[in-house]
Amino acid sequence: MLVAAAVCPCPPLLVPDVAAGAAPELDAARAACTDALGVLAAARPGRLVVVGPVDSAGPESYPEGTRGSFRGFGADLDVRLGRDEGTPADQRLPYSLAVAAWLLERTGWSDAPVEGLGVGDRLEPERCGRIGRDLASRAERVALLVMGDASACRTLKAPGYLDERAAPFDAEAARALGTADVAALAALDTGLARELKVSGRAPWQVLAGAAEDADLGGSLLYEDAPYGVGYLVATWS
């Protein structure tokens, strides 16, 4: 059963080694993510599943100990998802789960075994919901760390340029995540999310499936759009 969830953005810029001189610009987001992971630890889960976007449709599984790197972003930094379990070196974390692994290492996560799951923007909402329900049934006390960004179309300089539909979409996503509105998350428009370059849509809908019968309350800890991309941090407990 799902006992807690944390929702965090997943830009590599969240990692100070990648952001370099621009690192202070996301200090508030990092602090909110730290607080969100504290909520997960306080729930004392028996298993933590990290869910994040991947380029394929997915789902893609990443066992505990899988390694990732930020060398492709110009930073000489490697990370590992949870404890070293002798995972084959040929499997590497996608960037979203590498950011999650960095967050877990930064906060000293040791409260429960960790595994990763990648889902892509071509995965339909119904499938995301089924995946979430399966995750929630894997242990008596399951927590999710859900990685993903809102739209990338909030300003003229955003990666997806300015789209007037972006701000309303992000506002509804923030409301749903901040109030643990499972139905609203499940109803997010897949096509619109893809057009707005929303990487969090599928991971959020996995969360919606996992939380269907959990009766959790939500809290929005951070909402902003630096660089024209919507970043949200929320907790469910």
Side-chain angles (χ1 to χ4, degrees), residues 44-151:
R44 305 181 70 176
R47 175 164 296 277
L48 174 65
V49 183
V50 182
V51 183
V54 291
D55 291 334
S56 68
E60 298 177 1
S61 296
Y62 298 88
E64 184 158 32
T66 305
R67 295 182 179 272
S69 172
F70 294 99
R71 297 176 191 275
F73 298 96
D76 185 14
L77 177 65
D78 296 316
V79 292
R80 186 182 68 234
L81 188 65
R83 296 173 296 217
D84 187 356
E85 297 291 332
T87 305
D90 57 350
Q91 187 174 24
R92 306 291 286 180
L93 294 173
Y95 81 88
S96 63
L97 298 188
V99 173
W102 174 81
L103 285 172
L104 291 168
E105 289 183 5
R106 180 174 184 257
T107 55
W109 179 270
S110 60
D111 298 86
V114 185
E115 62 183 276
L117 183 72
V119 290
D121 69 359
R122 294 190 297 278
L123 207 63
E124 65 276 10
E126 294 77 11
R127 181 78 185 284
C128 291
R130 291 197 298 272
I131 291 171
R133 289 189 288 274
D134 175 68
L135 293 179
S137 69
R138 289 188 182 180
E140 186 176 347
R141 300 183 64 82
V142 176
L144 296 186
L145 173 54
V146 183
M147 310 298 292
D149 302 337
S151 73

Side-chain angles (χ1 to χ4, degrees), residues 26-55:
L26 290 179
D27 278 348
R30 293 185 194 98
C33 290
T34 298
D35 291 343
L37 265 64
V39 171
L40 295 185
R44 305 181 70 176
R47 175 164 296 277
L48 174 65
V49 183
V50 182
V51 183
V54 291
D55 291 334

Side-chain angles (χ1 to χ4, degrees), residues 156-169:
L156 292 173
K157 294 184 178 180
Y161 197 64
L162 177 64
D163 191 313
E164 63 183 12
R165 301 171 298 174
F169 183 99

Side-chain angles (χ1 to χ4, degrees), residues 16-29:
D17 299 64
V18 175
E25 296 176 13
L26 290 179
D27 278 348

